[in-house]
């Protein structure tokens, strides 16, 4: 293996080693809490689905990229490629929607009674299951194109135009119209969700700033602990996730848009995009474990046993 292959294999190995146990622990922690203690909050339910989504992305992208970098070939047949790329696209779509939903819910939760968002405080928990099922259904339906255009091998081992090379699989579109239409749709769809979560995060930060200013001006007796209130901690954690998502997937989407401008993209560019497309799956659970009281409590219990 050359230096580039070793670096690539090591990078995806590190992501996989971090992502799998941390996301699995989060799923088990919330499930244990649900079965033994109390009903999970809407935010916890969203985080549980987000961890499950991260696990799916890891097994369908990071793991495959890691094995390919270590020299394994012909990992999948045509059916395997269709399933692996389909479920990766579903998990990626769900990741952005769930993060956006989480930021929206947190904004609703901390909004004052005079806000227009206040009416959603009781509606979101009431229809939480319906919303999540809708997000899953939307993600499945709008990822079907990968089942149609994914292959494990190419004719004469020649990469045709309008093809994305994942090394272990290929996505080949029949013509430029289909290629650019699907590409632009995916870009602007992701961009719209990123804009929405950024707006909601800015709103949360504004409310936190106003609250901090008010506490300071009133010289409240709990001034010293205002930053440690549960809703404040939860809000900061959500904003952190949004910032990380915007950073990582911003790079991913920028490279995706660049890829649409060229018939064939250099392998290094595709590798960088692949890395950033799954980086969130490893960093996200670390933030959740560090900030969520339920998960931290389960971690402390497991260490004491």
């Amino acid at each position: 293996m050359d230096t580039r292959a070793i670096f690539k294999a090591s990078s995806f190995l590190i992501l996989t080693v971090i992502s799998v146990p941390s996301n699995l622990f989060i799923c088990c922690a919330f499930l244990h809490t649900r079965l033994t203690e109390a009903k999970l909050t809407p935010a916890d339910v969203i985080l549980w689905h987000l961890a499950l989504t991260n696990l799916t992305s890891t097994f369908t992208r990071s793991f495959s990229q890691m094995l390919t970098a270590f020299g394994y070939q012909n990992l999948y047949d045509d059916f395997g490629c269709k399933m692996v790329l389909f479920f990766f696209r579903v998990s990626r779509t769900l990741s952005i929607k769930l993060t956006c939903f989480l930021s929206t819910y947190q904004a609703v939760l901390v909004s004052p009674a005079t806000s227009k968002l206040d009416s959603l405080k009781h509606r979101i928990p009431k229809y939480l299951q319906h919303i999540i099922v809708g997000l899953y259904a939307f993600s499945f339906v709008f990822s079907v194109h990968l089942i149609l255009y994914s292959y494990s091998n190419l004719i004469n081992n020649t990469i045709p135009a309008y093809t994305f090379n994942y090394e272990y699989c290929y996505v080949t579109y029949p013509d430029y119209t289909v290629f650019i239409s699907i590409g632009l749709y995916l870009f602007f769809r992701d961009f719209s969700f990123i804009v929405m979560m950024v707006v909601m995060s800015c709103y949360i930060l504004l409310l936190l700033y106003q609250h901090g200013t008010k506490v300071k001006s009133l010289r409240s007796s709990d001034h010293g602990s205002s930053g440690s209130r549960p809703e404040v901690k939860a809000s900061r954690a959500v904003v952190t996730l949004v910032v990380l998502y915007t950073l990582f997937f911003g790079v991913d989407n920028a490279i995706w848009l660049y890829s649409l401008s060229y018939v064939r993209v250099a392998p290094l560019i595709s590798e960088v995009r692949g890395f950033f497309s799954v980086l969130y799956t490893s960093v996200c659970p670390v933030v959740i474990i560090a900030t969520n009281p339920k998960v931290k409590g389960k971690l402390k219990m497991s260490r004491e046993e």
Side-chain angles (χ1 to χ4, degrees), residues 135-292:
L135 294 180
Y136 272 85
F138 183 91
S139 301
F140 273 88
V141 169
F142 287 94
S143 300
V144 172
H145 67 278
L146 284 169
I147 296 179
L148 302 176
Y149 304 124
S150 300
Y151 306 94
S152 59
N153 293 295
L154 300 173
I155 300 176
N156 298 325
N157 292 322
T158 302
I159 300 178
Y162 317 123
T163 297
F164 287 105
N165 180 7
Y166 291 92
E167 297 187 274
Y168 54 90
C169 291
Y170 303 88
V171 179
T172 301
Y173 296 103
D175 53 50
Y176 178 75
T177 302
V178 176
F179 173 76
I180 199 67
S181 297
I182 293 177
L184 290 178
Y185 161 73
L186 294 175
F187 173 80
F188 284 109
R189 182 199 64 190
D190 289 355
F191 182 74
S192 63
F193 278 102
I194 289 176
V195 169
M196 183 174 180
M197 68 174 72
V198 169
V199 170
M200 289 300 174
S201 296
C202 290
Y203 177 69
I204 292 173
L205 291 175
L206 177 62
L207 290 178
L208 293 180
Y209 173 77
Q210 291 176 342
H211 172 75
T213 303
K214 182 178 180 181
V215 169
K216 185 176 180 179
S217 63
L218 294 175
R219 299 183 181 276
S220 174
S221 59
D222 66 343
H223 168 61
S225 60
S226 63
S228 61
R229 293 173 56 185
E231 62 269 27
V232 173
K233 284 187 174 182
S235 298
R236 289 174 177 170
V238 170
V239 171
T240 300
L241 288 177
V242 170
V243 170
L244 292 172
Y245 192 100
T246 303
L247 176 62
F248 299 153
F249 283 92
V251 174
D252 178 13
N253 279 322
I255 297 177
W256 172 259
L257 186 62
Y258 167 82
S259 302
L260 298 178
S261 305
Y262 292 85
V263 175
R264 292 183 178 85
V265 179
L268 179 59
I269 299 297
S270 298
E271 291 170 5
V272 172
R273 177 176 174 249
F275 178 79
F276 276 96
S277 68
V278 291
L279 184 56
Y280 184 72
T281 65
S282 298
V283 179
C284 172
V286 174
V287 175
I288 295 175
I289 292 173
T291 59
N292 187 275

Side-chain angles (χ1 to χ4, degrees), residues 1 37 68 90 106 152 184 212:
M1 295 176 65
E37 297 179 17
T68 302
V90 169
Q106 193 62 37
S152 59
L184 290 178

Side-chain angles (χ1 to χ4, degrees), residues 5-16:
I6 293 174
F7 181 77
K8 177 183 175 182
S10 301
S11 298
F12 282 103
L13 176 61
I14 292 172
L15 292 182
T16 304

